Amino acid sequence: MKILFIRFSSIGDIVLTTSPLISIKKKFKNAKIDYLTLEENSPLLEGISLIERIHLVDKSAGYCQLMSVGKFLNKYQYDVIVDMHNSLRSRIICRMIKSNPIYRLTKPRWNRFKLFEFHINDFYSWFSQLNLYHSVIKKIISNTDISSTYLFISVSEKEEAQNILNHRGLYDKPLVTCIPGAAWNNKIWNLSYYLKLFSFLRSKGFEIILLGGKNDIICEELKNADEFLINLSGQTQFRQSLAIISKSKLVIGSDTGFVHAAEALNVPSIMLLGPTSIETGGGLYKPTSVNIMNEDVWCRPCSQNGSRPCYRSKKVCMDEISPKTVISQAGTMLGV
């Protein structure tokens, strides 16, 4: 059986789709699975042996280009297409692929609307993004346990990451990686709270690495406030960041893709959830991971990805996550 998985973005969602991919492979060991994603996100999937081939599409591709992608994919003669995005882009591509059946993600838009606008939660208690993604493949496999997410880092990539760390004087020192930035400001924790957390971690002998993109201003602000931080934000390539994460004792950050990646790399992780929630696709899942949130804030969750402007005078959902709570949890997970 030849299967094409489709998911274009975001980093966190692509990470989560590795779970149903693994579940299919467990059921059909001889299945050949290809993956179609945006070129900018393809490094995330490199080295995963369960994926035969990664197909790429440019983020700026127009209608004609998308049709050409679909026509090109016809030559692989897929038996099944699993459309984990169900967007206009994926539908244009799928129209050109002569394959049947196509299983598409059904997004819980109505339930999300009620949750965000009226704070009516009609989601089942067991709902999660992993359950949602597994619902797409229920006709391919049934009654299967939900698999863990998974990413791959090679030995050579870990060695390269260690060389980067050595260059900054971190020779085999125990590391905690922090990913404080996010695509939306509403998901960013208080800077002064992070500084208290870092002070605690450093007192226990840990070095703190900051990772993120060039636009994550909070990383530079934290570095300016704490000269001992190692700020690699915007200075590492995609795979290098993953390799550094893989060498960490703990990862702490907002509801963002690289924290999901840390969990998939089997690194104990803490995710700070404010405007988002499990129902909206946020949150970590493994027993070695912890979600920290203030469930008593009446206005959360307010959006699927944290993009909605906060209508309160301050970000109560994030600001009321106490540094003591995070410090206590980090200490427990690190055994200090």
Side-chain angles (χ1 to χ4, degrees):
M1 178 164 59
K2 297 182 68 175
I3 302 173
L4 176 67
F5 257 65
I6 300 175
R7 181 76 203 190
F8 301 114
S9 61
S10 59
I11 291 174
D13 285 296
I14 293 172
V15 171
L16 293 177
T17 62
T18 63
S19 171
L21 186 154
I22 292 168
S23 295
I24 288 177
K25 195 67 175 181
K26 285 179 179 177
K27 184 75 172 182
F28 301 101
K29 298 188 184 302
N30 294 324
K32 294 185 177 181
I33 302 175
D34 292 353
Y35 203 112
L36 174 65
T37 190
L38 292 182
E39 185 173 1
E40 64 187 40
N41 293 325
S42 62
L44 193 64
L45 300 170
E46 287 180 13
I48 299 178
S49 60
L50 301 178
I51 299 175
E52 296 278 325
R53 185 181 290 104
I54 301 174
H55 297 293
L56 307 179
V57 61
D58 189 87
K59 188 176 184 178
S60 62
Y63 180 78
C64 293
Q65 290 172 296
L66 295 174
M67 289 180 64
S68 296
V69 170
K71 291 177 181 178
F72 170 79
L73 292 173
N74 264 323
K75 75 175 188 177
Y76 293 99
Q77 298 179 330
Y78 292 110
D79 300 302
V80 177
I81 296 176
V82 179
D83 183 358
M84 287 290 186
H85 213 124
N86 195 5
S87 63
L88 178 60
R89 180 191 280 138
S90 66
R91 283 181 171 268
I92 291 172
I93 291 173
C94 287
R95 279 184 60 189
M96 307 308 297
I97 303 175
K98 298 174 182 178
S99 174
N100 188 48
I102 299 175
Y103 299 116
R104 287 193 170 93
L105 175 70
T106 301
K107 301 175 183 179
R109 291 189 174 93
W110 176 235
N111 279 358
R112 284 175 176 164
F113 176 79
K114 288 186 288 184
L115 183 62
F116 300 151
E117 302 299 330
F118 306 111
H119 305 291
I120 297 172
N121 188 355
D122 282 343
F123 285 96
Y124 292 111
S125 59
W126 47 260
F127 180 85
S128 70
Q129 198 74 355
L130 285 185
N131 276 302
L132 179 62
Y133 285 150
H134 271 78
S135 70
V136 183
I137 61 170
K138 63 184 179 182
K139 291 185 179 179
I140 304 175
I141 57 174
S142 58
N143 301 322
T144 185
D145 293 332
I146 291 180
S147 302
S148 296
T149 56
Y150 171 75
L151 295 178
F152 174 81
I153 298 294
S154 68
V155 172
S156 62
E157 286 175 321
K158 289 184 179 182
E159 291 174 349
E160 181 184 3
Q162 189 59 56
N163 289 334
I164 292 172
L165 298 173
N166 291 347
H167 183 67
R168 288 159 176 82
L170 303 180
Y171 296 91
D172 296 321
K173 293 184 179 180
L175 304 176
V176 172
T177 295
C178 180
I179 305 167
W184 305 101
N185 184 63
N186 286 342
K187 295 198 289 186
I188 298 176
W189 200 36
N190 189 293
L191 184 145
S192 65
Y193 292 176
Y194 269 123
L195 294 176
K196 291 179 181 179
L197 170 64
F198 297 156
S199 178
F200 164 78
L201 293 171
R202 194 173 292 113
S203 72
K204 300 300 181 181
F206 293 91
E207 297 286 348
I208 298 103
I209 302 288
L210 301 181
L211 284 179
K214 294 180 180 179
N215 297 325
D216 287 332
I217 298 173
I218 188 172
C219 292
E220 189 62 33
E221 292 174 337
L222 286 168
K223 175 62 177 177
N224 290 337
D226 184 345
E227 62 178 334
F228 297 106
L229 294 171
I230 307 297
N231 181 19
L232 297 179
S233 177
Q235 300 179 41
T236 54
Q237 297 174 5
F238 203 120
R239 297 290 299 178
Q240 291 174 333
S241 295
L242 293 178
I244 290 170
I245 286 172
S246 74
K247 296 183 70 65
S248 305
K249 300 294 184 183
L250 178 68
V251 168
I252 304 171
S254 304
D255 176 6
T256 190
F258 272 132
V259 182
H260 283 289
E263 182 180 48
L265 291 167
N266 288 319
V267 178
S269 305
I270 296 175
M271 180 176 281
L272 307 178
L273 290 165
T276 58
S277 68
I278 297 293
E279 293 87 348
T280 65
L284 302 172
Y285 302 96
K286 290 185 178 180
T288 53
S289 303
V290 173
N291 299 308
I292 296 180
M293 67 203 86
N294 190 334
E295 298 192 48
D296 294 330
V297 178
W298 64 265
C299 55
R300 71 168 300 269
C302 62
S303 64
Q304 182 178 350
N305 57 12
S307 60
R308 187 174 191 170
C310 184
Y311 45 78
R312 303 183 70 169
S313 59
K314 64 176 183 176
K315 298 181 297 183
V316 176
C317 59
M318 291 300 287
D319 290 346
E320 290 194 359
I321 296 177
S322 166
K324 290 183 178 179
T325 301
V326 182
I327 287 170
S328 175
Q329 185 61 63
T332 298
M333 295 172 75
L334 291 168
V336 296

